Amino acid sequence: MKNKVWLFTAALLLFTAGCGKTDLTEKEINGDEQKTIESQETEKTTEKDGNASGEKKSVTENENAELQENGESYTWEDVTLQFPKSWKDKYVVAEDENGFTVFQKASYEKEKGMGYLFGISKDTEWYPDAAGVSILGYTDDGVLYEVVRPTDVSCDVENEDTLNEYQGMMQQSDTVVQNAVIDTQNLHKDADQYIIPVSMTQTISADSLINMSDNDLWLARNEIYARHGRGFTNEYLQSYFNACSWYEKTAETDAFDESVLSQTEKDNLKVIQEAEKTYADEHPYPKEYKTGQKVMEDIDGDGREEEIRYDVKESGDYAGYSCILTVNGTSYELCEYAAMVTPETDCFYVTDINAYDDSLEIAVLDDGPSGDYVTYFYRYDGNTLEFAGEVTGFPFKEKNGGINGFTGQSGIYGTIRTDILETAYLNGYWWYDSDAGKLEYIDGGMHQYKYFTPHRLYVDLPLWKAMDQNSEQVTVSSGQDVFFISSDAKEWIYVRAKDGTEGNIHVDGENVSNVGRPGTEVFSELNYFD
């Protein structure tokens, strides 16, 4: 497989493309001798397509002058950036045949390659595993505009003033990149809403999929159909694609005409399906078993299988149920380890939370007092049964809308509840500490919603670009659907409008701080329950 390697060092950033050939020729442009749009042309037509709309916008000399008041402009081929006024004389641009890289001048002058802020390049091949690389935009004919960001601090850290300046420029870099103007036809800037944004235009290789999870492969396969408006009977899939700005349902699943698929798309479907099969073969767990069934599994990793059986029956003890797990003839009452309120009576699971050790776990399910699902995990050391912890929700494909909650690398995605603006369920993350033999909940900041419900917007809504009420804003017009994408489950929700506009809302009690009004006056269909 041909690879493009992005090498980040404190000394030099290399763009490597095509058969291992590296072009190290660079053209350096200092901020104080910056090329501007005016110096190249007085009028140009650019593609304005934040939502793949194809709308044309004319950039005139007067408009360029207005931009210039805010800072210097820079153009490389068909990409134009607007730098903040505060960046004047503080940056250097290094060009090569593939693109350009922006550096902090103070660090770069001390040592070439230091002060790396970001780079933008053009390519025609998709590389899913390149560190720090994201797609700024792509065209229908397969051209990718890629953004490369540093994976570590890359500046003169010995000089405090230089370090502080670099950190400030890094904070502004995302805005500079997001506001880039790309002058090309049929540009799409919604790559972050796809698993494989180029599956319609490029043939995907099996090698490019080897590090993808089964969840991503499943979504990638179905997004090929979704591009053409197919509906889905799976509730999660329909919810997921409804929240994508590019998706519009035009046909029910059973009425979809597959002849609309191109040969490239059909080939990609086969490649992805093969990757899904390979993943399933390499990751046989979790395995579902029926209660009352004798199971043979090596759960303690000693090379010999244990005989396992799980039985659930009504009882006068333990809140009305007895949950007996038997391993090699020894019975354990699980209600003595955890409070089983309404245990699932039809199945249990053998799981492999950490694929890098030899042991397995036993998982049993409880519906809880009012649909508050909990999964309890147990491990067996060859002599005794030990409680390994619990995860709220059922992280199993069959009971989780088709999503596998097991990462195979000591992590499990379960479910947490939030009541911020409405009652909803989000993804939560649990980490398995192999040394302690216990699961631990990790609050990772933002949590994705389990399902994306459309809320009709009653008012124009300004969104903060960052979780900061002093950050830049972008406004969503009233009358369209808005989806809650993720939340910190405390005071912030990241939302996406159907027109593709994204940003953050702040919640203070029942009020949306962005407009100072109650949530029910801003969004439709807010649901609350006990």
Side-chain angles (χ1 to χ4, degrees):
M1 177 184 67
K2 184 174 74 134
N3 284 316
K4 177 172 61 182
V5 180
W6 300 98
L7 178 60
F8 295 95
T9 68
L12 187 64
L13 174 68
L14 302 181
F15 288 92
T16 305
C19 300
K21 179 181 178 181
T22 304
D23 181 7
L24 301 181
T25 303
E26 293 182 342
K27 178 180 179 181
E28 298 176 9
I29 302 171
N30 293 312
D32 54 1
E33 55 186 28
Q34 180 62 54
K35 293 190 301 182
T36 65
I37 302 176
E38 294 90 338
S39 68
Q40 297 176 42
E41 51 190 332
T42 58
E43 184 175 290
K44 68 191 288 187
T45 300
T46 65
E47 184 79 11
K48 180 185 178 184
D49 194 3
N51 309 301
S53 64
E55 177 186 353
K56 293 280 187 177
K57 179 181 178 182
S58 177
V59 180
T60 66
E61 185 172 4
N62 289 336
E63 287 173 317
N64 286 331
E66 181 178 352
L67 290 175
Q68 196 67 14
E69 292 178 1
N70 297 323
E72 297 168 321
S73 299
Y74 164 76
T75 297
W76 177 83
E77 293 191 1
D78 49 9
V79 180
T80 297
L81 300 181
Q82 180 73 48
F83 292 119
K85 188 174 182 179
S86 60
W87 283 28
K88 183 174 176 58
D89 300 337
K90 295 180 180 179
Y91 67 93
V92 172
V93 181
E95 297 180 350
D96 66 19
E97 65 178 11
N98 301 307
F100 62 90
T101 310
V102 181
F103 298 88
Q104 178 202 28
K105 185 177 181 180
S107 293
Y108 190 85
E109 289 185 340
K110 180 174 181 179
E111 184 174 349
K112 186 176 180 180
M114 289 182 65
Y116 169 63
L117 296 168
F118 65 88
I120 295 179
S121 67
K122 289 171 68 172
D123 201 354
T124 56
E125 293 191 47
W126 175 68
Y127 302 91
D129 302 319
V133 181
S134 59
I135 298 176
L136 177 62
Y138 62 98
T139 63
D140 290 343
D141 57 357
V143 177
L144 303 174
Y145 295 81
E146 297 173 325
V147 181
V148 191
R149 295 179 173 88
T151 57
D152 201 353
V153 175
S154 175
C155 71
D156 178 9
V157 297
E158 296 177 355
N159 186 306
E160 185 175 354
D161 291 339
T162 300
L163 176 60
N164 290 336
E165 180 185 271
Y166 175 81
Q167 291 173 335
M169 295 177 77
M170 279 297 300
Q171 291 176 355
Q172 295 175 309
S173 291
D174 281 347
T175 300
V176 174
V177 170
Q178 290 168 7
N179 292 335
V181 176
I182 302 176
D183 180 18
T184 190
Q185 297 294 319
N186 301 314
L187 178 72
H188 305 274
K189 299 186 75 173
D190 52 11
D192 60 334
Q193 296 181 36
Y194 288 95
I195 304 298
I196 306 179
V198 296
S199 61
M200 183 173 65
T201 59
Q202 294 186 18
T203 300
I204 305 302
S205 69
D207 286 343
S208 68
L209 305 178
I210 57 176
N211 291 324
M212 277 195 179
S213 70
D214 53 346
N215 295 328
D216 282 348
L217 290 169
W218 181 54
L219 293 172
R221 172 165 53 86
N222 281 287
E223 75 185 7
I224 292 176
Y225 295 109
R227 284 180 185 270
H228 297 279
R230 192 182 107 167
F232 300 89
T233 56
N234 179 282
E235 182 182 2
Y236 177 84
L237 283 178
Q238 190 62 63
S239 164
Y240 175 87
F241 289 117
N242 283 343
C244 296
S245 63
W246 51 265
Y247 176 74
E248 181 179 355
K249 181 180 176 180
T250 58
E252 297 294 341
T253 306
D254 55 3
F256 181 74
D257 182 4
E258 295 204 7
S259 66
V260 300
L261 300 176
S262 69
Q263 189 58 50
T264 295
E265 290 172 312
K266 292 176 181 178
D267 292 341
N268 287 337
L269 283 171
K270 293 178 182 178
V271 173
I272 296 171
Q273 286 171 329
E274 283 298 315
E276 288 181 285
K277 182 179 183 301
T278 298
Y279 187 97
D281 291 341
E282 295 177 350
H283 302 80
Y285 296 95
K287 289 182 181 179
E288 180 182 356
Y289 292 108
K290 298 296 183 182
T291 54
Q293 175 185 1
K294 184 177 73 173
V295 175
M296 302 300 296
E297 289 277 3
D298 178 15
I299 57 175
D300 61 358
D302 66 355
R304 294 175 295 181
E305 292 182 336
E306 281 71 47
E307 182 178 302
I308 307 163
R309 178 178 171 136
Y310 179 54
D311 295 281
V312 179
K313 60 182 179 180
E314 294 187 12
S315 170
D317 299 326
Y318 306 116
Y321 289 94
S322 176
C323 304
I324 304 296
L325 179 65
T326 303
V327 181
N328 288 342
T330 301
S331 296
Y332 303 89
E333 174 56 75
L334 299 188
C335 294
E336 295 179 356
Y337 294 80
M340 303 285 286
V341 179
T342 313
E344 289 266 320
T345 60
D346 59 341
C347 69
F348 71 104
Y349 289 83
V350 174
T351 67
D352 188 11
I353 299 176
N354 185 358
Y356 299 108
D357 65 23
D358 295 326
S359 62
L360 303 172
E361 306 80 33
I362 295 172
V364 299
L365 287 59
D366 184 25
D367 290 342
S370 57
D372 296 320
Y373 302 141
V374 183
T375 303
Y376 297 104
F377 291 87
Y378 299 86
R379 61 189 184 91
Y380 182 73
D381 65 3
N383 294 303
T384 59
L385 187 75
E386 296 182 5
F387 181 60
E390 64 187 66
V391 169
T392 52
F394 295 159
F396 307 97
K397 278 186 177 183
E398 304 83 3
K399 299 179 178 294
N400 196 32
I403 293 294
N404 178 14
F406 292 81
T407 68
Q409 300 178 1
S410 297
I412 303 175
Y413 284 97
T415 303
I416 62 173
R417 173 173 161 163
T418 181
D419 291 304
I420 176 173
L421 273 194
E422 67 171 349
T423 303
Y425 290 98
L426 315 175
N427 286 333
Y429 183 73
W430 281 258
W431 170 262
Y432 182 68
D433 185 336
S434 297
D435 294 332
K438 298 292 183 182
L439 282 161
E440 177 184 358
Y441 175 70
I442 306 295
D443 188 350
M446 296 298 283
H447 308 269
Q448 182 176 292
Y449 279 74
K450 300 288 287 187
Y451 291 91
F452 307 110
T453 303
H455 300 283
R456 185 57 55 90
L457 193 59
Y458 294 141
V459 299
D460 290 349
L461 178 64
L463 304 176
W464 283 295
K465 290 188 175 181
M467 290 194 300
D468 178 354
Q469 295 185 53
N470 295 315
S471 65
E472 294 184 57
Q473 291 184 324
V474 60
T475 299
V476 180
S477 57
S478 64
Q480 62 177 302
D481 285 340
V482 172
F483 298 84
F484 295 173
I485 303 299
S486 59
S487 172
D488 66 354
K490 300 179 183 73
E491 56 180 334
W492 289 97
I493 302 175
Y494 188 80
V495 306
R496 178 189 299 146
K498 195 58 182 176
D499 68 359
T501 306
E502 301 182 9
N504 297 277
I505 62 172
H506 180 264
V507 180
D508 183 6
E510 296 180 353
N511 293 323
V512 178
S513 303
N514 306 53
V515 290
R517 301 175 68 169
T520 52
E521 295 182 6
V522 180
F523 302 103
S524 72
E525 307 297 329
L526 294 178
N527 300 306
Y528 301 91
F529 51 88
D530 294 331

